[in-house]
């Protein structure tokens, strides 16, 4: 697990290393410059333009220019500010002047093999205008290989917001830790490949409240292992409630992914028309079917929930009347449950759409729950939204609730515009967590998972995973990881974030084997076995 820092937190680390530990700032700067310059070691010698501001990021850039010049590159420097700048900037500027390095006034008519962006660093908080904006627009139109020093200029390091305009680079060499704004929001699209370099920051005896993280390959190696004396029951039992009439694909994908991720037994509660294609595609599955979803089916569903360790509901379920009744019943069973150990419920896809449609308000108050139960009808229904019921279940620790909305589903749950959710993924995920669940997986090109112990920003995966059924595979992976942790304590958000990372890594395998355009969801499910 890796820390992911905001701009403020990174500045605290920097100040602590310099003022408390006593590492001179120019030492850290030299190591930062070497870290960037070393990315050129395997590159062909060529022409380089270093574009520097007058702050410490610009000073880093000047140091990079000097090192590349000494290594035989043809280096030009564009100083975009005539301000006096920081003390460190003055030192680095004096050095390049004493060396007689080439300064240029513009980039519009020049052609370079490489451009190093060192205009603004992680402290940028204002919109970029004027000459700075002109320079960045010119840089973006030049067909050179671009490398950013610490962060692409124009990206808010804490939010990922583009501050009017930003440099779009091929690689970002960032120092110490990843920054939140580089992994999510629009910022992710500007950073290219991110390389995190240790330049000597020291955090000893420092109080730093970090609550944002990313998962890496080392964490996969720490997953619980099946023991030699396990039978299929001990390997975990998953119930997948999925697939309306003639909508079997999602159920098949989720079931396949659950098996590939470690489940010992998978049962699928689905419409009768799906039985044959389900057992043909995934013969290991136990199918439990219904036609019109009667009270008898509801009683059987309750028994299946009692049987399972993890319950998935929603893939391919549709929002028709029988599906609405099923979702209501599942939540009712959760609220009335008396099991000693909370089960994990994963709400996905149409289950979330059904919940969103019955969520007329965002803020709920304390209440005594008497949940609506349209199928069994053993009590008078009351006017409580499904979100309120889930909030109660969460508060009473009757179940561990994981929800997996994509941006559209999240916007419906939050009653917010899609663009608002997309531009503020962490804030949106945290609101959903507070409303209704123990862990929220907000799916996007940078999936955010949040819960009580913090937020995880996913760093695996690729655009080839934007294909039908990919989300259904993720739901199955979450169930599989829940089952792997059956005998070990782990928070719902850790389990969900781990599943998201594994899902993305499997997608990266598919990218290598099938290509971006050729990847299908079934390929991702199969690649999970290879990965693990």
């Amino acid at each position: 697990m890796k820390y992911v820092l905001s701009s403020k937190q990174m500045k605290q680390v920097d100040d602590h290393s310099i003022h408390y530990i006593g590492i001179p700032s120019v030492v850290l700067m030299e190591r930062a410059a070497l870290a960037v310059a070393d990315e050129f070691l395997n590159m062909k010698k060529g022409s380089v333009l270093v574009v520097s501001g007058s702050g410490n990021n610009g000073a880093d850039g000047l140091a990079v220019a000097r090192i590349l010049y000494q290594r035989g590159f043809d280096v030009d420097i564009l100083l975009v500010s005539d301000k006096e700048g920081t003390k460190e900037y003055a030192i680095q500027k004096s050095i390049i002047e004493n060396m007689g390095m080439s300064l240029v006034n513009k980039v519009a008519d020049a052609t370079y093999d490489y451009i190093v962006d060192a205009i603004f660093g992680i402290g940028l908080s204002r919109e970029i205008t004027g000459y700075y904006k002109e320079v960045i627009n010119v840089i973006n139109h030049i067909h050179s290989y671009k490398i950013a020093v610490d962060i692409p200029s124009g990206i808010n390091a804490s939010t990922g917001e583009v501050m009017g305009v930003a440099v779009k680079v091929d690689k970002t060499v960032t120092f110490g830790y990843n920054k939140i704004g580089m992994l999510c929001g629009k910022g992710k699209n500007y950073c290219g490949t991110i390389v995190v370099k240790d330049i000597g920051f020291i955090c000893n005896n420092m109080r730093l409240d970090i609550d944002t993280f990313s998962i890496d390959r080392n964490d996969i190696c720490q997953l619980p292992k099946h023991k030699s004396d396990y039978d299929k029951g001990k390997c975990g039992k998953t119930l997948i409630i999925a697939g309306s009439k003639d909508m079997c694909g999602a159920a098949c994908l989720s079931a396949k992914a659950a098996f590939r991720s470690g489940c010992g037994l998978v049962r699928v509660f689905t419409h009768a028309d799906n039985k044959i294609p389900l057992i043909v595609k995934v013969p290991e599955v136990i199918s439990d079917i219904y036609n019109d979803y009667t009270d008898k089916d509801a009683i059987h569903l309750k028994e299946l929930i009692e049987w399972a360790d993890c319950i998935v509901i929603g893939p391919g379920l549709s929002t028709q009347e029988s599906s609405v009744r099923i979702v209501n019943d599942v939540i009712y069973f959760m609220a009335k449950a008396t099991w000693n150990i909370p089960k994990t419920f994963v709400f996905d896809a149409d289950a979330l759409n059904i919940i969103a449609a019955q969520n007329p308000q965002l803020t709920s108050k304390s209440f005594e729950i008497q949940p609506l139960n349209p199928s069994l009808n053993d009590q008078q229904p009351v006017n409580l939204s499904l979100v309120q019921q889930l909030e109660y279940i969460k508060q009473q620790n009757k179940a561990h609730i994981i929800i997996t909305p994509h941006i559209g589903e999240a916007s419906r749950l939050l009653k917010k515009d899609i663009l608002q959710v997309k531009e503020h993924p962490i804030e949106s995920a945290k609101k959903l967590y507070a409303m209704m669940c123990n862990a929220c997986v907000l799916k996007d090109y940078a999936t955010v998972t949040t819960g009580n112990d913090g937020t995880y920003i996913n760093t695996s995966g690729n655009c080839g995973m934007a294909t039908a059924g990919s989300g259904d595979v993720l739901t199955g992976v979450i169930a599989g990881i829940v089952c792997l942790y059956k005998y070990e304590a782990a928070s719902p958000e850790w389990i969900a974030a781990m599943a998201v990372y594994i899902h993305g890594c499997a997608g990266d395998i598919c990218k290598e084997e099938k290509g971006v355009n050729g990847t299908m969801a079934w390929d991702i499910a199969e690649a999970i076995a290879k990965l693990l």
Side-chain angles (χ1 to χ4, degrees):
M1 184 176 70
K2 304 290 186 182
Y3 291 148
V4 183
L5 272 58
S6 66
S7 173
K8 179 180 179 181
Q9 290 167 334
M10 193 64 235
K11 287 180 181 178
Q12 290 174 336
V13 170
D14 191 49
D15 290 343
H16 181 83
S17 300
I18 295 169
H19 301 297
Y20 182 83
I21 301 298
I23 303 173
S25 59
V26 290
V27 172
L28 293 173
M29 187 166 289
E30 194 70 12
R31 292 192 62 174
L34 282 167
V36 176
D38 283 350
E39 293 300 310
F40 287 82
L41 287 175
N42 296 320
M43 295 182 183
K44 182 180 177 181
K45 292 285 197 301
S47 57
V48 182
L49 176 68
V50 177
V51 188
S52 293
S54 58
N56 281 354
N57 189 257
D60 289 338
L62 296 181
V64 171
R66 180 208 343 129
I67 295 168
L68 292 178
Y69 177 77
Q70 290 176 300
R71 291 180 179 177
F73 286 82
D74 181 12
V75 181
D76 284 346
I77 300 169
L78 174 64
L79 304 179
V80 295
S81 174
D82 57 4
K83 294 180 180 178
E84 184 175 332
T86 64
K87 178 180 69 174
E88 290 78 8
Y89 174 78
I91 292 172
Q92 298 296 341
K93 184 180 178 185
S94 176
I95 293 172
I96 65 157
E97 288 173 344
N98 292 338
M99 292 175 65
M101 294 183 66
S102 174
L103 299 178
V104 297
N105 296 319
K106 60 180 181 177
V107 295
D109 300 325
T111 300
Y112 295 94
D113 297 308
Y114 311 102
I115 295 179
V116 176
D117 163 33
I119 305 172
F120 298 111
I122 62 169
L124 180 70
S125 59
R126 60 180 174 81
E127 184 145 328
I128 296 174
T129 58
Y131 179 60
Y132 294 107
K133 183 175 181 179
E134 292 176 15
V135 170
I136 289 175
N137 283 330
V138 170
I139 291 172
N140 283 337
H141 282 91
I142 296 176
H143 297 293
S144 305
Y145 188 88
K146 303 180 183 77
I147 294 183
V149 177
D150 208 14
I151 190 170
S153 295
I155 298 300
N156 185 307
S158 298
T159 66
E161 182 181 358
V162 176
M163 308 305 290
V165 67
V167 180
K168 196 163 191 175
V169 301
D170 299 284
K171 180 182 286 187
T172 299
V173 182
T174 197
F175 310 131
Y177 304 92
N178 250 320
K179 316 306 184 291
I180 293 172
M182 292 164 52
L183 300 184
C184 67
K186 291 183 178 179
K188 181 179 174 66
N189 284 331
Y190 284 77
C191 293
T193 302
I194 298 173
V195 179
V196 182
K197 291 286 189 176
D198 177 10
I199 64 170
F201 292 121
I202 297 176
C203 301
N204 292 359
N205 304 316
M206 181 182 180
R207 180 177 178 83
L208 192 63
D209 295 325
I210 299 174
D211 64 353
T212 307
F213 315 93
S214 64
I215 287 174
D216 62 16
R217 287 289 185 115
N218 292 328
D219 295 313
I220 297 181
C221 298
Q222 305 305 314
L223 281 171
K225 305 292 192 297
H226 288 164
K227 295 182 179 180
S228 58
D229 63 344
Y230 276 12
D231 57 33
K232 57 183 178 287
K234 287 185 177 179
C235 290
K237 297 174 286 187
T238 291
L239 170 66
I240 298 175
I241 306 166
S244 59
K245 182 178 173 63
D246 296 324
M247 290 286 289
C248 188
C252 292
L253 288 164
S254 293
K256 170 71 79 173
F259 273 126
R260 290 301 192 197
S261 304
C263 281
L265 284 166
V266 177
R267 300 182 78 155
V268 174
F269 185 77
T270 189
H271 192 276
D273 286 2
N274 298 329
K275 181 173 183 176
I276 292 177
L278 177 64
I279 61 177
V280 168
K281 293 293 289 183
V282 194
E284 300 87 351
V285 156
I286 303 169
S287 60
D288 294 273
I289 60 173
Y290 63 91
N291 274 300
D292 299 320
Y293 190 70
T294 63
D295 286 357
K296 182 179 179 181
D297 295 316
I299 293 169
H300 182 52
L301 178 58
K302 182 175 185 291
E303 293 169 349
L304 294 176
I305 290 172
E306 294 288 343
W307 167 86
D309 300 305
C310 181
I311 298 91
V312 169
I313 177 168
L317 195 62
S318 82
T319 56
Q320 62 191 23
E321 182 182 353
S322 60
S323 300
V324 172
R325 295 174 64 201
I326 288 170
V327 171
N328 273 273
D329 281 352
V330 169
I331 294 175
Y332 171 75
F333 296 144
M334 294 167 68
K336 301 291 284 186
T338 57
W339 47 65
N340 295 324
I341 300 175
K343 296 176 182 288
T344 299
F345 287 76
V346 184
F347 287 84
D348 181 39
D350 285 324
L352 295 175
N353 289 325
I354 289 168
I355 292 168
Q358 296 190 23
N359 179 27
Q361 57 188 29
L362 294 180
T363 305
S364 60
K365 300 177 181 179
S366 298
F367 51 82
E368 292 296 326
I369 191 165
Q370 295 179 346
L372 176 66
N373 178 25
S375 294
L376 299 185
N377 198 28
D378 63 351
Q379 60 182 11
Q380 293 297 317
V382 294
N383 186 27
L384 293 177
S385 73
L386 295 179
V387 168
Q388 289 174 318
Q389 295 181 42
L390 288 173
E391 182 189 30
Y392 168 83
I393 293 163
K394 171 186 170 182
Q395 290 172 352
Q396 299 299 312
N397 198 31
K398 288 176 172 284
H400 294 154
I401 303 164
I402 299 173
I403 66 171
T404 60
H406 56 53
I407 296 296
E409 290 156 355
S411 74
R412 289 189 280 275
L413 285 164
L414 290 168
K415 302 294 188 283
K416 283 191 173 184
D417 182 75
I418 287 179
L419 189 60
Q420 285 182 288
V421 176
K422 193 172 187 66
E423 291 184 345
H424 303 282
I426 294 179
E427 178 185 337
S428 299
K430 286 182 175 180
K431 284 184 177 179
L432 287 169
Y433 155 71
M435 280 170 52
M436 59 186 294
C437 61
N438 301 92
C440 173
V441 178
L442 181 54
K443 298 181 292 191
D444 200 14
Y445 58 86
T447 294
V448 170
T449 303
T450 195
N452 185 63
D453 293 338
T455 298
Y456 296 85
I457 305 175
N458 188 50
T459 58
S460 64
N462 60 83
C463 59
M465 300 176 73
T467 184
S470 181
D472 303 316
V473 172
L474 172 59
T475 307
V477 179
I478 293 173
I481 306 305
V482 168
C483 289
L484 284 181
Y485 279 100
K486 181 176 180 179
Y487 301 107
E488 296 191 23
S491 68
E493 64 269 24
W494 169 260
I495 288 171
M498 175 64 74
V500 169
Y501 183 75
I502 289 170
H503 180 250
C505 288
D508 289 336
I509 292 174
C510 293
K511 178 183 176 182
E512 295 299 318
E513 295 181 349
K514 309 286 186 180
V516 168
N517 293 342
T519 295
M520 297 176 67
W522 198 261
D523 302 323
I524 300 171
E526 289 295 334
I528 291 164
K530 181 177 290 188
L531 173 74
L532 295 181

